[in-house]
Amino acid sequence: LSEKKNSERKDRSSQQLKNDAIKARNTMKTRLAVSFGFSLPLVYLAMGHMFSWPLPAVFHGTANPLMFAFTQFLLILPVLAVNSTYFVRGFAMLFRAKPTMDSLIAIGSGAAVVYGVYAIFMISHGLATDNLDLAHRYQMDLYFESAAMILSLTTLGKYLEANAKRHTSNAVEKLIRLRPRTAHVLRNGKETEI
């Protein structure tokens, strides 16, 4: 009877793990969609002028550097929001003097965003003081697209890793189900069932 209860408990625990894994995969899929959904337009906007890609006139070079910068800033906000776990876990482990890969991601992408915000202030200062060279110089140094791609590609990697783990777990579970319930052992010339 207790063996049956243990088996039922294991089945419930196994089902709970599967449900948790499905929920985590769906969350990761959403993070991935939002990350790339905003990162790709951000990269297009930030890098398009280098490749002569068509952009609306309002975003061209010196026409409106503040609009160009703020649009990039607005495009990175959702990417930062859905990937905030990298910052929370990364900085928590860094402050405990046990940095992880999340710490590196948080520092790298965080530095790019902080510098981008600084660049927006410098663009504003350049426009306010009629120093268009200053505004133009910082307009080309926003780096929001770098931060967005770091977060998006890391999320893609973690999504692929989670899928690989799921497939591995399923294969191991199938192997475990194949094992026999009992075994016969020959000890001292006598066969025993265990």
Side-chain angles (χ1 to χ4, degrees), residues 10-126:
K10 284 180 185 175
D11 287 344
R12 270 188 269 132
S13 143
S14 175
Q15 188 58 41
Q16 182 64 38
L17 287 174
K18 284 181 186 176
N19 290 342
D20 290 347
I22 290 170
K23 186 177 175 184
R25 191 175 85 233
N26 289 340
T27 300
M28 186 66 76
K29 199 181 287 188
T30 301
R31 284 176 55 195
L32 191 60
V34 170
S35 292
F36 277 103
F38 285 91
S39 292
L40 293 177
L42 174 57
V43 168
Y44 185 90
L45 177 63
M47 309 298 279
H49 64 279
M50 293 180 191
F51 302 107
S52 300
W53 294 340
L55 287 170
V58 72
F59 295 121
H60 279 282
T62 56
N64 197 344
L66 210 48
M67 172 88 73
F68 181 73
F70 269 119
T71 304
Q72 290 183 48
F73 178 69
L74 291 175
L75 284 170
I76 198 172
L77 290 178
V79 179
L80 294 171
V82 297
N83 292 299
S84 62
T85 56
Y86 296 126
F87 296 97
V88 172
R89 284 190 308 228
F91 284 122
M93 294 307 286
L94 185 65
F95 293 138
R96 289 186 194 128
K98 297 178 181 177
T100 63
M101 192 63 172
D102 287 348
S103 303
L104 182 62
I105 293 162
I107 290 169
S109 58
V113 171
V114 167
Y115 183 81
V117 170
Y118 171 76
I120 289 175
F121 280 106
M122 293 308 291
I123 291 169
S124 299
H125 176 68

Side-chain angles (χ1 to χ4, degrees), residues 109-173:
S109 58
V113 171
V114 167
Y115 183 81
V117 170
Y118 171 76
I120 289 175
F121 280 106
M122 293 308 291
I123 291 169
S124 299
H125 176 68
L127 292 174
T129 59
D130 247 358
N131 186 347
L132 296 181
D133 288 336
L134 178 69
H136 182 66
R137 185 176 76 220
Y138 280 99
Q139 174 188 353
M140 295 298 123
D141 292 337
L142 293 170
Y143 301 112
F144 291 126
E145 78 284 355
S146 300
M149 289 311 292
I150 288 170
L151 294 169
S152 298
L153 292 172
T154 303
T155 302
L156 174 63
K158 292 205 180 227
Y159 176 75
L160 294 173
E161 179 185 13
N163 273 347
K165 282 182 183 177
R166 181 176 54 91
H167 291 300
T168 303
S169 296
N170 289 345
V172 169
E173 191 175 296

